[in-house]
Amino acid sequence: MIQIQLSERQEKIIDIVKANEPITSENIAKTLKLTRATLRPDLAILTMSGILDARPKVGYFYTGKTTFSFISEKIQGIKVAERKSIPIIVDEQTSIYDGIVTIFLEDTSTIFVTSKGYLSGVVSRKDFLKNAIGGLNLTKTPIAVIMTRMPNIIVTAPEESVLDAAMKLIEHEIDSLPVVEEVILDEGDKAYKVVGRITKTTITRLFVELGNNE
Ligand code: ADP
């Protein structure tokens, strides 16, 4: 496990190594007026976490890595596949009324829409509101009329990092992304199968877990 909070002594050791590399543990100990045995646990933590590199008979080097780069490496290593949740999907022919019922029943803010089983659109809460006050016949009008449609849908994929997915949410100012797998249809066209979703809640939950070091 990465130790995020370094002790004052460990910070001092890093400064000494930065200024004097390569430097032996004996010389680090001398500089700090401590014994080598006292320093051993600190040096072990610093090398295990990758901040220092120990070369036999040469001494310690500073790798240039910070505790922050470990946090970001860790986040970049988390894939969408590990964090995706179950998507709420309806067919294009579903009425706007049934779509509204679905967001209440499923306690979701966004519905993904499919045609012949493949992603064709996205409908958000505000899309419903905008059209509900617009005088449309909600029970007769299909959801396809009000959805944001392909190819304008921002998607993510199981192998993408959660960080990239979070950046898409921010950049496009949206609440959720369908997680898709690309398929090639008989006619050679590409289509997306929806296999999950990543939402702002996914990212918030991950943030809390990382903050609590879970
Ligand atoms: P809300 O509109 O309820 O605030 P969003 O911010 O997610 O929810 O949606 C804003 C607009 O972007 C809506 O018109 C919605 O259809 C569209 N939208 C939502 N998610 C996506 C997506 N993944 N790709 C493209 N457009 C999207």
Side-chain angles (χ1 to χ4, degrees), residues 122 124-127 148 152-154 173-178:
V122 170
S124 75
R125 264 188 305 217
K126 251 182 255 157
D127 293 330
T148 302
N152 298 322
I153 306 300
I154 313 300
E173 297 180 6
I174 48 181
D175 294 348
S176 84
L177 297 172

Side-chain angles (χ1 to χ4, degrees), residues 92 94 96 123 131 136 140-149:
E92 276 200 352
T94 307
I96 298 176
V123 188
N131 289 284
L136 279 179
K140 295 237 169 74
T141 314
I143 208 166
V145 172
I146 66 163
M147 69 188 187
T148 302
R149 50 181 63 242

Side-chain angles (χ1 to χ4, degrees), residues 44-195:
I45 284 164
L46 292 171
T47 47
M48 268 186 323
S49 61
I51 295 170
L52 297 185
D53 187 16
R55 292 196 207 138
K57 300 205 178 85
V58 185
Y60 288 87
F61 288 87
Y62 175 61
T63 62
K65 289 194 176 178
T66 63
T67 43
F68 281 115
S69 52
F70 292 115
I71 299 171
S72 84
E73 256 172 44
K74 180 168 176 160
I75 294 174
Q76 278 163 23
I78 304 171
K79 300 290 175 212
V80 163
E82 298 165 48
R83 308 300 304 207
K84 68 180 166 60
S85 56
I86 296 166
I88 309 302
I89 303 173
V90 300
D91 183 82
E92 276 200 352
Q93 298 308 318
T94 307
S95 69
I96 298 176
Y97 183 90
D98 285 343
I100 293 172
V101 171
T102 305
I103 62 167
F104 280 104
L105 289 180
E106 303 287 348
D107 194 18
T108 185
S109 62
T110 312
I111 296 181
F112 302 136
V113 185
T114 54
S115 165
K116 297 191 182 109
Y118 299 112
L119 180 66
S120 63
V122 170
V123 188
S124 75
R125 264 188 305 217
K126 251 182 255 157
D127 293 330
F128 282 121
L129 278 175
K130 202 165 55 192
N131 289 284
I133 58 171
L136 279 179
N137 183 334
L138 303 183
T139 48
K140 295 237 169 74
T141 314
I143 208 166
V145 172
I146 66 163
M147 69 188 187
T148 302
R149 50 181 63 242
M150 286 290 284
N152 298 322
I153 306 300
I154 313 300
V155 300
T156 181
E159 64 279 5
E160 197 166 78
S161 84
V162 173
L163 180 63
D164 285 334
M167 282 160 62
K168 285 180 181 175
L169 292 174
I170 300 285
E171 189 191 340
H172 298 280
E173 297 180 6
I174 48 181
D175 294 348
S176 84
L177 297 172
V179 181
V180 300
E181 278 170 13
E182 202 177 283
V183 286
I184 308 289
L185 303 176
D186 290 344
E187 312 85 64
D189 292 340
K190 280 185 198 161
Y192 290 138
K193 224 175 107 199
V194 182
V195 297

